[in-house]
Amino acid sequence: MTLLLNKTPNRTMAKVLGLCTLLLILTVSLLSWLWARTMDHYSVPTPLDVPPHPLGDVAPFPGDKFDNLFWFIQISDVHISRFRDPQRTTDFKQFCNENIGVIKPTLVLVTGDLTDAKTKDNLGSRQYEVEWQTYRNTLDHAHVTEKTIWIDVRGNHDAFGVPGADHQFNYYRKYSVRGSGGDGTFRYQHKLPFGTYSFVSVYAILNPGPKRPFNFFGILDESNLQKLEDFTKDEKLSNHTVFFGHYPTSTIIAPHTRLSNALQNGVTYLCGHLHSFGGMVPHMNAVQKNGVVELELEDWKENRMYRVMAFDHDLLSFVDVKFGTWPVILITNPKRARFLSLRHEPLRKMVHSTHIRFLVHSPDTIASTTVKIDGVVLGSAVHVRGPLFVIPWDPSEYPAGLHSIKVTAMDAAGRIHSEGYQFSLDGSRPPQWLMPSFFLLTDIPFIFWILYICAVVVFVLALLSLRWMALKNGHYRSGLLRSLIGLASNQTYFYWLLIIGLYPLIGPWFVCAVSGESFGIYTFYGFFLREDFIGETFSYVICVLNMILFQGPITLYFALQLDRIQHSASNHTTRNHTTNSTPTRNGKSSSIQNGSTSRMTSQRQVQSLGLFWSAVAYTCLFSALNWMTWECINLYYCYGAVALLLAPKSTWTLAVVLVLLYRLHWVEMRQVKANGFTS
Ligand SMILES: *[C@@H]1O[C@H](CO)[C@@H](O)[C@H](O)[C@H]1NC(C)=O
């Protein structure tokens, strides 16, 4: 800094530089502070100031007996489809026969998207009775309801195009095991000699159910939220409450404080819906700020995953298993440090335990097991009964910090599998997984809303200030800025781009049959039906993409092209150019206008943009047209021809853009060629 100040002869220059440096430092510090705060928010497990569980130091403790133990299964996003991947159904049949038969879970939770309900083109959506029949037949053939308690709930796919819960298209009521009893928030209480365990559904399905894609976020309405709150009031009567539903809390539109207060009465919330986000986030599990362990399960649809969970002496454990993996190993004591529930689990029971306990399931008998702690072999475990294996240990050897445990099992058929993780006996927890935590601890609709509103404000302010600059003083030499100001000073393009930019926020998007019968209007805020309003806001996501892929690019395209046409028109009568320099788009080339040897003739000819700016312009044009066309195609396949015709947000916008393009490239261009200037 001082060096710069001393050396720069021009004092104002030095001041400007100094100010810039200061601003830069401030910005960088602010950004790093924000970044650090964000990272902390997502990765540091919340220190919960709660008293230790009253039963932590009270017997019974985990030992070598088959007691205080039961296990269950979760499976999600089955997506039985009449068009795609028949193996999915075949595997599901085998799962119902073999896996349920071998593991013998007390109950099975199926957290939604039982059927795919997508049309053959994979864009549209509707309920197909045959998919539901396949689902039910599979369960019946495997006699699952005789082997276990099967609790299936709806997902958004099971609600695509369902006009109402009572409507005949709600095949869930006819073909699911729960039937109409599962169509809403409900509680199933499982009573065992050693305790009572409540399973409470979180029902955020849209009713009526719009077709895709505007049926992605769930809505927990007042009546279902009220029921949920009522069920959690007497949670003291249960040893544990397990919440389950289709949507992760980050994709539920609801009064979030109330939802969070209700859910914190349970040990965990089990959900699906986001699958593994295209394989990018395979273990979408995190501990919420209120202490709830939220466990999203990868889908059956593509990944064939399911989850085995157990309560052992009221400590909750789980393992996510890929279909076909045997032996299935679930360590129940000590439990995984990452998912400690400080509020609900009697964690001190681990400290008083005499044995390490784990469950091993396999179609064949288990030939051998090995247990390692911190890499040291403890020995092989003893089979107690059923799937339970135990091995004695001394917890006082691991008083503080994180330790690793690994269990390996081999069955009589020679199949070997290992499971392992970190545990702690003093409540230590590792940092949260960043991506899963990001997906589960963020209010996703809200984030998209913020992004979009910011983008619109920036866009409108930018256009307005450019217009103001244009009106004040039209002469800017710098390329891009001049292009943008030129655009803003042109009434036609300025007003149309402003209208197109603001329209999604204020006007109806399209008119359609929302769910088969009832006609409605879709807006930024949701569906307006004759009697109902569905506040589903996938529109926020569309709007953000729209801003990035359409609005920004098309504005830039018009600016660059208009400037090229207008400027070369006025240029040619006044100045000469070097033939191979790009016109003054980047501000640099204007300085190259020295007395070059090759000069243009005074012929009225429109220059080209130059290689770089052509690439930019045509990429923008491609992106914008591509996005809008894609939107129209989607609209047609999802909501039909009427929606496509009556769609100001998509079809009409595309038409306006095409007219503007015609005007720019044909009308203005012809005028330039004829007169050497534009009107
Ligand atoms: C379940 O709760 C009851 C009452 O609080 C308690 O006596 C019992 O030990 C608990 N069960 C287990 C397995 O801890």
Side-chain angles (χ1 to χ4, degrees), residues 75-384:
I75 176 169
S76 197
D77 299 82
V78 182
H79 287 260
I80 300 234
S81 165
R82 62 177 288 194
F83 299 114
R84 273 165 293 276
D85 191 9
Q87 190 63 33
R88 191 182 300 162
T89 312
T90 314
D91 287 348
F92 184 58
K93 281 182 187 150
Q94 196 187 337
F95 172 82
C96 291
N97 278 307
E98 188 180 24
N99 295 53
I100 301 297
V102 168
I103 299 175
K104 299 188 181 68
T106 303
L107 55 96
V108 177
L109 302 170
V110 194
T111 47
D113 286 357
L114 312 174
T115 63
D116 196 41
K118 275 203 188 178
T119 52
K120 197 170 183 183
D121 50 58
N122 213 7
L123 291 174
S125 53
R126 54 165 290 200
Q127 298 298 315
Y128 291 107
E129 191 164 14
V130 60
E131 293 179 348
W132 285 96
Q133 286 163 339
T134 309
Y135 171 73
R136 188 56 199 246
N137 286 342
T138 305
L139 303 188
D140 288 347
H141 279 295
H143 303 285
V144 290
T145 49
E146 292 155 35
K147 294 179 195 162
T148 183
I149 296 153
W150 191 271
I151 300 178
D152 44 6
V153 295
R154 281 166 98 195
N156 58 325
H157 283 246
D158 306 318
F160 280 163
V162 175
D166 297 327
H167 196 276
Q168 52 157 338
F169 284 168
N170 187 5
Y171 295 124
Y172 172 82
R173 294 205 164 178
K174 190 167 169 193
Y175 293 103
S176 74
V177 174
R178 283 298 300 189
S180 56
D183 219 0
T185 294
F186 66 90
R187 172 171 62 185
Y188 168 74
Q189 283 192 312
H190 195 69
K191 293 198 167 73
L192 288 162
F194 51 85
T196 300
Y197 299 84
S198 295
F199 294 83
V200 178
S201 83
V202 176
Y203 188 86
I205 305 297
L206 306 191
N207 182 28
K211 299 171 198 164
R212 72 173 296 280
F214 301 103
N215 186 347
F216 185 79
F217 295 131
I219 299 177
L220 187 59
D221 63 24
E222 181 55 36
S223 71
N224 280 302
L225 182 57
Q226 190 69 52
K227 257 197 242 169
L228 190 67
E229 286 171 333
D230 291 345
F231 283 139
T232 58
K233 271 186 197 130
D234 47 354
E235 44 101 21
K236 291 278 173 289
L237 303 178
S238 312
N239 290 57
H240 275 301
T241 300
V242 170
F243 292 104
F244 65 99
H246 182 61
Y247 302 93
T249 49
S250 57
T251 58
I252 295 178
I253 298 165
H256 272 263
T257 321
R258 281 175 67 193
L259 177 59
S260 165
N261 284 343
L263 292 186
Q264 74 180 15
N265 294 313
V267 60
T268 184
Y269 175 56
L270 310 175
C271 53
H273 187 49
L274 292 179
H275 299 212
S276 54
F277 206 71
M280 277 158 48
V281 194
H283 304 285
M284 215 185 275
N285 309 321
V287 183
Q288 293 284 354
K289 293 287 161 194
N290 60 1
V292 176
V293 180
E294 182 160 342
L295 306 175
E296 198 262 2
L297 174 59
E298 263 185 84
D299 53 301
W300 178 265
K301 180 188 175 190
E302 305 283 345
N303 294 304
R304 304 287 193 278
M305 294 295 284
Y306 65 101
R307 173 176 287 154
V308 185
M309 314 187 72
F311 278 113
D312 186 1
H313 290 78
D314 278 1
L315 302 169
L316 177 69
S317 312
F318 73 93
V319 61
D320 292 356
V321 187
K322 192 159 188 91
F323 173 68
T325 306
W326 296 113
V328 172
I329 303 168
L330 172 58
I331 307 167
T332 62
N333 181 59
K335 75 162 281 178
R336 191 170 195 160
R338 183 178 295 281
F339 301 116
L340 299 181
S341 169
L342 305 183
R343 209 189 280 275
H344 297 288
E345 286 174 309
L347 296 169
R348 298 253 323 147
K349 287 199 185 222
M350 290 191 282
V351 180
H352 299 288
S353 68
T354 55
H355 289 73
I356 290 169
R357 291 157 66 94
F358 56 92
L359 311 179
V360 187
H361 304 274
S362 179
D364 297 278
T365 51
I366 303 304
S368 72
T369 57
T370 334
V371 181
K372 273 191 204 172
I373 291 189
D374 294 335
V376 180
V377 178
L378 244 63
S380 73
V382 179
H383 183 210
V384 181

Side-chain angles (χ1 to χ4, degrees), residues 18-91:
L19 200 67
C20 286
T21 317
L22 195 68
L23 274 179
L24 190 72
I25 292 173
L26 276 178
T27 318
V28 170
S29 334
L30 187 72
L31 284 182
S32 9
W33 177 79
L34 263 178
W35 176 253
R37 283 299 299 261
T38 314
M39 286 296 127
D40 278 359
H41 177 80
Y42 287 114
S43 67
V44 177
T46 333
L48 272 190
D49 194 17
V50 288
H53 196 280
L55 296 182
D57 296 313
V58 180
F61 301 119
D64 60 356
K65 299 215 166 47
F66 187 99
D67 58 356
N68 300 305
L69 170 72
F70 78 101
W71 57 95
F72 53 102
I73 279 182
Q74 185 200 355
I75 176 169
S76 197
D77 299 82
V78 182
H79 287 260
I80 300 234
S81 165
R82 62 177 288 194
F83 299 114
R84 273 165 293 276
D85 191 9
Q87 190 63 33
R88 191 182 300 162
T89 312
T90 314
D91 287 348

